[in-house]
Amino acid sequence: MTKPWSRRSFLECAALAAPMVLPLGAGANAASGDAMTSSASLVATELRRWQVPEANQAAAVDADYFYGIGNRTLVKHRKSDGVRVAEWRDKADGAIVHFNAGYVTKNRLILAHSNFPQLPMASSLETFDTTTMQPVETYSFGIRLGSLTWAVRHGGFWWACFANYNDKGTTPGFDQRWTYLGQFDDAWQMRQSWIFPQAVVATWGVSSSSGGDWGDDGLLYVTGHDASELYVLRLPKQGVVLDYVTKIAVPFEGQGWAWDRSLGNDRVIYGISRKRKEIIVARIPPIPKA
């Protein structure tokens, strides 16, 4: 009779499959540097909000449009007046189960996707053409410990968060403490990975990290699932735990969000409120140096 998988056997196989750890990449160099404040009372400035009922997972944005992301739905709105100009919906029994965070690069909307809350946990990266709002590319991670909740490009690498939870949708024997940030090359081979500091994990409730991206200051900004806070982290000089820098109060409750890169150094993000069914725009204050 085949023996059931245990935590030990899962980890032993994972260790055998893991790639060799390489020196810290460009993104790590950018995230180090002068010491930052360990705590601060920082508050984002709300700029605007729109009613977008479908956006129950995340928001994305480019120079002219913002995008609402739902489990199986994408909607495209003009930034100038909020009018919807396009949408895409998958059927209930289609291939898409649970979109998570997304971001726009050139004319591509890049979306984290998983089969949450199904088991075994499996994830993919889905790419849409922002002009036609049709899918153009997919990359399947297959079965992996954790659901892909966000993935971004920075410093020549992919940075992706694989989330684990305390309630449903997690491999038995694991919990949210097993959520990790991985650094990947263009072939999606993992070079390094880190876990999140307990100060951040403690804010997740039964969920995990739902959004994240690097700022223009070389720091990593992440959200949880429900708290109206943006956590600022950086890669550690040693060890396996991301360094906690500070937190910022934001006018939305966690979930997926995106920088408006079209504004240059103006630190504006688009997030969502599931409670109010809104997409909310906010300006993020600079992080003071110690």
Side-chain angles (χ1 to χ4, degrees):
M1 179 181 294
T2 302
K3 295 176 62 178
W5 281 88
S6 66
R7 177 186 298 209
R8 180 176 180 181
S9 59
F10 188 102
L11 294 178
E12 287 173 346
C13 288
L16 289 173
M20 182 181 297
V21 176
L22 300 177
L24 217 57
N29 295 332
S32 61
D34 295 339
M36 297 287 182
T37 54
S38 59
S39 63
S41 299
L42 300 173
V43 180
T45 302
E46 182 177 322
L47 302 178
R48 197 166 185 179
R49 59 177 63 207
W50 289 275
Q51 280 282 323
V52 185
E54 294 87 350
N56 68 340
Q57 292 300 330
V61 60
D62 59 26
D64 299 310
Y65 302 94
F66 63 88
Y67 304 82
I69 301 168
N71 286 1
R72 296 182 173 91
T73 304
L74 304 172
V75 293
K76 178 180 178 180
H77 292 247
R78 282 199 301 261
K79 290 167 73 173
S80 59
D81 56 14
V83 171
R84 182 174 302 183
V85 297
E87 63 182 53
W88 180 90
R89 299 174 186 268
D90 200 9
K91 53 189 178 180
D93 60 349
I96 298 302
V97 179
H98 194 284
F99 280 137
N100 292 298
Y103 78 100
V104 178
T105 177
K106 298 181 180 178
N107 67 331
R108 293 291 186 263
L109 174 59
I110 313 295
L111 295 152
H113 168 259
S114 74
N115 66 341
F116 178 87
Q118 300 172 15
L119 293 175
M121 305 173 88
S123 302
S124 65
L125 196 70
E126 304 296 331
T127 301
F128 282 71
D129 186 308
T130 57
T131 302
T132 65
M133 291 299 289
Q134 294 300 309
V136 293
E137 189 176 352
T138 184
Y139 180 88
S140 175
F141 296 96
I143 297 175
R144 184 182 288 264
L145 180 61
S147 290
L148 180 67
T149 52
W150 52 271
V152 297
R153 291 285 297 183
H154 172 73
F157 299 100
W158 284 102
W159 303 80
C161 177
F162 286 88
N164 290 278
Y165 307 92
N166 282 7
D167 54 355
K168 58 184 180 180
T170 287
T171 302
F174 297 88
D175 57 37
Q176 62 189 188
R177 295 172 299 173
W178 294 77
T179 299
Y180 66 92
L181 171 71
Q183 180 196 50
F184 298 84
D185 62 21
D186 287 338
W188 282 104
Q189 295 300 303
M190 189 163 69
R191 304 176 78 249
Q192 303 181 85
S193 64
W194 300 264
I195 58 175
F196 287 80
Q198 182 57 35
V200 174
V201 175
T203 70
W204 289 345
V206 297
S207 296
S208 191
S209 177
S210 296
D213 200 352
W214 294 92
D216 57 3
D217 52 7
L219 296 172
L220 180 65
Y221 294 74
V222 303
T223 44
H225 191 267
D226 302 298
S228 299
E229 296 174 335
L230 189 65
Y231 307 104
V232 186
L233 311 174
R234 62 185 168 202
L235 298 184
K237 293 181 179 179
Q238 289 182 303
V240 298
V241 182
L242 294 167
D243 286 344
Y244 177 85
V245 178
T246 189
K247 65 182 178 181
I248 304 168
V250 293
F252 55 87
E253 306 87 36
Q255 299 296 325
W257 57 275
W259 292 106
D260 188 345
R261 303 287 188 185
S262 71
L263 299 178
N265 294 328
D266 196 0
R267 292 161 53 86
V268 171
I269 66 174
Y270 281 60
I272 68 164
S273 171
R274 299 181 74 169
K275 296 178 181 178
R276 297 186 292 272
K277 303 182 185 301
E278 293 174 333
I279 287 182
I280 300 169
V281 189
R283 178 173 288 112
I284 302 304
I287 308 303
K289 292 186 178 181

